[in-house]
Amino acid sequence: MRKLLLAVAAAAILVAPAVAQAQSPIVIKFSHVVANDTPKGKGALKFKELAEKYTDGKVKIEVYPNSTLYKDKEEIEALQLGAVQMLAPSTAKFAPLGIKEFEALDLPWLFKDDITYSNAMKGTVGKWLFQKLETKGITGLAYWDNGFHMLSANRPLMKPADFQGLKFRISGSKIADQYFRILGSIPQIMAFSEVYQALQTGVVDGCENTASNYLTQKFYEVQKDITVSYHAHLQYAVIVNSKFWSGLPPDIRTQLEKAMVDATEYTNQIAHQENEDALAEIKKTGKTKLHYLTDADRKAWQEAMQPTYKWAKGRVGQEVLDLVAKELDVKMN
């Protein structure tokens, strides 16, 4: 933390770079925690390419993947304090800021497919959630898709009873914490960069993540069984330090907004195929066995996890649940 604070002090002048250094490129540090060869990683590199192109080199985007700059527990504080300008955390990461409403997106079996998710985030739900960030000095720019979660352990997970007593890594969402507890397992919050070793050493028994993350982080090497459950969705919010963003020259900001729109379209288009390709690659390795839920299995999971919806009211509030229910035409209780 001390190192972070020192970095923030040194970086404070970057908050209004347009005024201070008109002749030099404006540097935007874009930090994230996954590999370059994932939907988010490729999206960040696409944004870099387009932003530098659209601004004729007046902006330089420095992308820091794989937690090389900050771990996911540190990065939002770094953004607020000006040590980094742009992030793309999973939406579950906003609860520690006091914005628990984002966790409504983590409800199990909420989005029936990628199109349903995309429409919701482009609509009332996504805009309403971004407004919540403004009070924290954060501006939301876009939502990036990373598809649906799978579940893994060193035994097949087919019935709700199979979860009993197992320790699962979660990113921090209390909604995820709740549905794992309902299934009789023990959720543990852990930084993404620490998951492989934790799985390898048995600190946790399993985890949930998308196929692209299972492949690029090599989680499949240390998990004997993966259930292609697609029980919950993983999405990222691309965010920027509000003071930095508002301090940019209007013409530069307009070009960056265009770059973000185009990079978002690219990222969300490739997310589904990237996960399908990753799943095929994992299968090809032969190091882990893939399991698929039957209709009966899926129904049993849905019924077992359903109490999460009632519990969520006390966690995220009725207002966001009503918005989500209306947008998706789903029942919350």
Side-chain angles (χ1 to χ4, degrees):
M1 186 59 63
R2 182 180 299 173
K3 188 161 66 174
L4 171 59
L5 293 174
L6 289 173
V8 169
I13 59 171
L14 293 177
V15 173
V19 177
Q21 298 180 4
Q23 302 304 317
S24 301
I26 298 169
V27 175
I28 296 178
K29 294 181 179 179
F30 190 160
S31 174
H32 64 81
V33 302
V34 301
N36 279 327
D37 195 21
T38 59
K40 178 162 67 172
K42 290 183 177 182
L45 293 175
K46 176 60 70 173
F47 175 69
K48 169 182 170 66
E49 172 196 331
L50 296 176
E52 293 176 355
K53 176 183 176 182
Y54 293 169
T55 63
D56 294 322
K58 294 176 183 176
V59 172
K60 179 183 179 184
I61 309 294
E62 296 179 354
V63 178
Y64 297 89
N66 269 328
S67 306
T68 51
L69 196 59
Y70 295 106
K71 292 184 178 181
D72 46 6
K73 292 179 181 178
E74 307 165 340
E75 60 179 10
I76 290 182
E77 182 186 10
L79 181 86
Q80 288 179 299
L81 295 174
V84 63
Q85 289 73 48
M86 190 173 289
L87 306 173
S90 63
T91 53
K93 296 298 181 185
F94 297 124
L97 292 177
I99 308 173
K100 301 173 183 177
E101 291 88 347
F102 276 91
E103 288 187 355
L105 304 177
D106 300 325
L107 284 164
W109 313 102
L110 181 64
F111 302 107
K112 65 179 181 180
D113 52 36
D114 289 306
I115 294 175
T116 304
Y117 156 77
S118 179
N119 289 339
M121 303 321 290
K122 288 177 182 176
T124 305
V125 173
K127 293 173 183 176
W128 185 86
L129 287 170
F130 270 164
Q131 287 176 354
K132 294 287 182 181
L133 291 177
E134 293 290 344
T135 60
K136 306 297 180 181
I138 296 171
T139 297
L141 299 179
Y143 292 99
W144 285 1
D145 189 358
N146 195 12
F148 289 86
H149 279 305
M150 307 190 301
L151 270 162
S152 66
N154 288 317
R155 72 186 191 202
L157 300 169
M158 301 302 294
K159 311 292 183 186
D162 296 334
F163 289 79
Q164 192 69 37
L166 294 182
K167 300 188 294 287
F168 285 92
R169 179 266 176 180
I170 63 171
S171 64
S173 171
K174 290 295 184 181
I175 297 292
D177 179 277
Q178 184 66 13
Y179 63 69
F180 275 114
R181 290 186 187 279
I182 287 171
L183 294 173
S185 52
I186 306 161
Q188 296 189 10
I189 298 172
M190 183 178 295
F192 188 68
S193 58
E194 299 168 5
V195 177
Y196 182 94
Q197 185 176 9
L199 293 169
Q200 186 179 44
T201 58
V203 171
V204 293
D205 299 302
C207 67
E208 62 174 0
N209 226 296
T210 60
S212 62
N213 283 341
Y214 269 103
L215 178 67
T216 57
Q217 299 297 321
K218 300 183 178 181
F219 295 158
Y220 67 89
E221 293 183 346
V222 287
Q223 296 278 264
K224 294 178 181 178
D225 298 275
I226 294 176
T227 302
V228 186
S229 53
Y230 296 158
H231 61 284
H233 196 271
L234 176 59
Q235 58 281 322
Y236 305 117
V238 186
I239 56 176
V240 67
N241 178 292
S242 295
K243 189 174 181 181
F244 170 84
W245 193 246
S246 63
L248 291 170
D251 60 323
I252 293 291
R253 190 165 58 246
T254 297
Q255 294 305 318
L256 292 177
E257 287 170 347
K258 182 177 186 298
M260 182 56 66
V261 168
D262 292 349
T264 298
E265 183 177 354
Y266 164 82
T267 304
N268 292 346
Q269 281 181 347
I270 69 169
H272 179 76
Q273 191 59 50
E274 289 283 318
N275 281 308
E276 289 296 310
D277 292 346
L279 196 59
E281 284 296 314
I282 291 170
K283 188 174 183 178
K284 196 184 299 183
T285 68
K287 292 187 176 183
T288 187
K289 187 173 182 180
L290 298 179
H291 304 274
Y292 294 83
L293 300 177
T294 65
D295 288 344
D297 292 332
R298 188 174 296 105
K299 184 177 180 181
W301 282 44
Q302 290 171 342
E303 289 177 353
M305 293 179 173
Q306 185 61 29
T308 309
Y309 280 70
K310 186 175 181 179
W311 179 91
K313 179 179 178 180
R315 172 66 180 176
V316 303
Q318 190 66 49
E319 186 175 4
V320 67
L321 293 179
D322 287 344
L323 282 173
V324 171
K326 183 179 180 181
E327 186 85 22
L328 301 179
D329 191 24
V330 297
K331 293 182 179 180
M332 283 294 157
N333 294 308

